Every structure is written in structure tokens, then in C-alpha cells.
Amino acid sequence: MSKVYPTATTALDGLLFDGMMIAAGGFGLCGIPELLIDALRKSGVKNLTVASNNAGVDDFGLGLLLQSRQIKKMISSYVGENSEFTRQYLSGELELEFNPQGTLAERMRAGGAGIPGFFTATGVGTIVADGKEHKDFDGRTYILERAINADLSIVKAWKADESGNLIFRKTARNFNVPAATCGKVCVAEVEEIVPIGAIPPDGIHLPGIYIHRLITGTHQKRIEQRTVRAKESA
């Protein structure tokens, strides 16, 4: 059966339900699955829990799902760049589970590896550790973090072959790899799909075994904050 679907909407068909958990790749606006996020918004699915490093900006990325009130809870590391995220959280409209960035990545990776939880020293002595099991190893205290197992993963890659083997473009690899592995189903959007065999085995960043559905399309590739320096004088 082909993994390639004609549109983001068809690729999500039959996978969505209210109250589901979604793991989303991306870092800021780099490597975000923007086409799939737009399809989620149009679907009307609601009460979502979304595990993602951040939530995009006000009018793009996951920020669109915050605007439409489709997200009930965010599991995130960074909440800057998005005033609507801040407003909803401070007003009590949005649940937020803060995670140190490495912990969030490892929770996703652990979910994909079949590891139910792990101990880490990160967050010990802070509110991150509240309510979590503490255990000492070799004289140092660690806290138990549970793996993330999502109902759906959505990720963005640069290139794929028809079996779903993925290549990411430089830093756009970011959270996409661990996010892809921790979902029961993973849908990937890419810029180009090539024939099987066109990607050298050693060049594959994520094996196609993790990818269930695949789409391609045109991406905006927005920049959060465009900064330029003054032109140097001759």
C-alpha cells in the first residue's frame, strides 16, 4: 500500500478524534509541519494535548490552533514569541506542562524506544520536580520522567523516498526525529518525494518504518525574527 497521500487533509483522514495527544516536530518555525497543522485547524478537532518544543507564533504554526481554541494543553519547553499562548496560559484557558528542553526530547525518544520512563537530574529542586518520584544514584538525586506516547505524530522533512525514509535539512532535524517515533501513527510532510533507492542508506536520517503516511507540498518557511546588520562601508 502506498504511503503517499495527495493532500494533508486526506493524510489525516480517519486519524483524528477530540481529546487526542499529538506530538509535533519543529523548533520555533524551523521544520514545523505547517501543512498538517493547517489541516488540523480545518478539521475542527478539539481538546487537543500537543507535545511540542513551542507553539509557533500568533498567526502561524501551532499558534493557529491556539487561535481557534483547539488546543487544551501544551507540553512544551519554550513559550516565547507567541502572545496568545501567554495570554491563554495566564488567564487559565490553557493547561501547560513545562519541560526542560532535553527532557522533552528524551521523553519523546523514550516513547519511541518503548521505554516507559527514565531518571534525570535536570529539574531537581525546582517546580519541575513537584509530584515526581525522586531517587538517589551514586549520591545524586534524580527525578522520574515518563515517556510521551502520542496518538499521532506530525513532522516536516526535506526529502523522502516513497517508502518514507526521511532526510532533514540541517537544523530542521531538531525535534522532528524524536517526535516522529513516539506516535502510534506518524504523518510526514516533505518538500520532495524521490523513488525508492534514490537516497543512499547511509544518508537516511529517519527510517521509513516510523512513517505511515506521507505528503508533499509548498511551504512558506517563515522566519520568526528577521535580523540584518547595517551594510559595511567600503
Side-chain angles (χ1 to χ4, degrees), residues 25-212:
F27 187 102
L29 297 182
C30 177
I32 64 170
E34 59 193 71
L35 304 178
L36 291 166
I37 291 171
D38 189 55
L40 283 170
R41 185 180 192 184
K42 292 175 181 176
S43 76
V45 64
K46 58 184 185 295
N47 294 327
L48 300 174
T49 295
V50 179
S52 172
N53 177 68
N54 61 292
V57 293
D58 288 321
D59 62 344
F60 195 60
L62 290 172
L64 295 174
L65 298 182
L66 289 173
Q67 281 186 347
S68 57
R69 305 294 196 276
Q70 289 170 263
I71 297 177
K72 176 184 178 183
K73 178 180 179 179
M74 288 293 306
I75 303 174
S76 296
S77 295
Y78 178 62
V79 299
E81 313 298 338
N82 192 320
S83 60
E84 181 61 16
F85 191 140
T86 303
R87 190 198 67 76
Q88 288 189 25
Y89 171 60
L90 294 177
S91 65
E93 300 172 40
L94 177 70
E95 298 177 42
L96 174 60
E97 183 179 336
F98 264 127
N99 278 219
Q101 201 162 82
T103 298
L104 179 59
E106 183 63 10
R107 289 182 68 191
M108 291 181 178
R109 191 203 68 82
I115 300 170
F118 57 92
F119 283 95
T120 177
T122 304
V124 172
T126 74
I127 60 172
V128 170
D130 290 350
K132 295 175 181 176
E133 180 182 346
H134 289 58
K135 192 173 182 66
D136 288 348
F137 295 92
D138 302 320
R140 189 176 185 186
T141 302
Y142 296 75
I143 55 175
L144 177 64
E145 293 284 359
R146 297 298 304 269
I148 290 175
N149 297 105
D151 298 299
L152 171 68
S153 296
I154 55 173
V155 299
K156 160 71 167 57
W158 174 45
K159 186 181 294 187
D161 66 19
E162 294 168 341
S163 65
N165 294 310
L166 300 184
I167 298 177
F168 298 92
R169 180 71 171 164
K170 300 184 178 181
T171 57
R173 193 183 310 193
N174 51 57
F175 274 79
N176 277 299
V177 173
T181 66
C182 73
K184 295 177 183 177
V185 178
C186 179
V187 183
E189 62 181 70
V190 299
E191 297 176 38
E192 180 184 4
I193 299 176
V194 299
I196 294 174
I199 300 176
D202 287 344
I204 294 170
H205 294 154
L206 184 68
I209 189 68
Y210 292 107
I211 307 302
H212 301 85

